[in-house]
Amino acid sequence: MALRYVKNAKEFNNPDLIIIPGTKNTISDLKYLKASGLAGRIISRVSSNSAAFLLGMSGGYQMLGKKITDKYHLESNSKEIEGLGLLPMRTRMAKDKVLAQVKAREVYSGIEISGYEIHHGLSDSKAGLKPFFEILERNGRKIKYFDGFHSKDSRVLGTYIHGLFDTDTFRREFLNKIRQSKGWQPLHQ
């Protein structure tokens, strides 16, 4: 497996995993994805019969939903923008910015990670999506709530947590899930 950054639709090819990272301006970057043709390529890749996975982190997670609303114009003059529509959720930009160190457990594997959140948006779904993580601690205080969502086939995932791949066991488990979907042997320590 190799990691590469893609800036336009011509460079896209056929990735096994697409990561839409966090951003300082979700709405502006979502407009760029659409204008550059990358949005169409991403949607086509994960909507096809391929075994491709898509992970949205923070702003990238917000882009995966149906709509992003920004009634306070924190990021745009628009009050609302259509997302990529890959998860049945909505995000609303909130005035207060979330800045937090978190400890969490991935719901599927039970693997615990540490990371951080930095975002204005709040995302929710009424579609009964499976959560991605259970937050166990925020800024040193015990807490319990869910973060992020999985699509029904668990190939489209989103979270507000940055740094989740810093945890070796989580990173290996995540990549092994992709390897196994391709019929490859899992990696061991």
Side-chain angles (χ1 to χ4, degrees):
M1 292 187 169
L3 176 68
R4 62 189 175 84
Y5 291 94
V6 175
K7 294 182 180 174
N8 62 58
K10 290 178 187 174
E11 299 173 343
F12 191 76
N13 297 327
N14 294 308
D16 298 315
L17 169 63
I18 304 157
I19 299 174
I20 304 176
T23 172
K24 291 184 179 185
N25 190 308
T26 302
I27 292 172
S28 174
D29 287 348
L30 177 57
K31 288 178 179 178
Y32 172 79
L33 284 181
K34 290 177 177 182
S36 70
L38 280 168
R41 295 295 301 271
I42 291 167
I43 292 167
S44 177
R45 182 72 178 148
V46 298
S47 298
S48 70
N49 289 330
S50 78
F53 286 76
L54 171 61
L55 172 65
M57 294 171 26
S58 199
Y61 165 46
Q62 295 169 342
M63 292 179 198
L64 300 179
K66 292 184 177 209
K67 290 194 186 296
I68 300 170
T69 57
D70 187 11
K71 77 176 190 178
Y72 301 111
H73 301 288
L74 298 170
E75 294 192 2
S76 168
N77 289 330
S78 304
K79 285 192 175 188
E80 186 172 84
I81 184 171
E82 296 287 323
L84 298 177
L86 295 167
L87 288 176
M89 61 170 218
R90 297 176 64 98
T91 297
R92 64 179 170 79
M93 295 297 177
K95 283 185 179 180
D96 294 330
K97 191 172 204 171
V98 174
L99 300 163
Q101 295 288 326
V102 296
K103 290 186 180 179
R105 177 185 306 119
E106 186 197 16
V107 173
Y108 174 77
S109 68
I111 295 172
E112 292 191 12
I113 65 160
S114 293
Y116 65 95
E117 294 179 79
I118 180 169
H119 57 92
H120 274 286
L122 302 170
S123 301
D124 60 41
S125 174
K126 294 178 174 77
L129 293 172
K130 297 180 280 183
F132 194 178
F133 288 98
E134 179 181 18
I135 305 296
L136 307 171
E137 191 175 297
R138 185 184 238 183
N139 290 333
R141 292 190 175 144
K142 300 287 184 209
I143 193 167
K144 265 195 161 197
Y145 68 94
F146 291 107
D147 168 80
F149 295 115
H150 279 251
S151 61
K152 288 182 180 176
D153 64 4
S154 295
R155 288 183 28 234
V156 178
L157 309 105
T159 180
Y160 276 115
I161 303 172
H162 292 266
L164 57 135
F165 289 122
D166 292 345
T167 303
D168 292 339
T169 52
F170 174 78
R171 184 178 60 248
R172 188 176 307 107
E173 178 74 21
F174 189 86
L175 293 175
N176 277 339
K177 186 177 3 174
I178 296 168
R179 291 178 64 84
Q180 289 170 324
S181 76
K182 296 181 68 58
W184 299 351
Q185 290 296 314
L187 297 172
H188 300 287
Q189 286 188 348

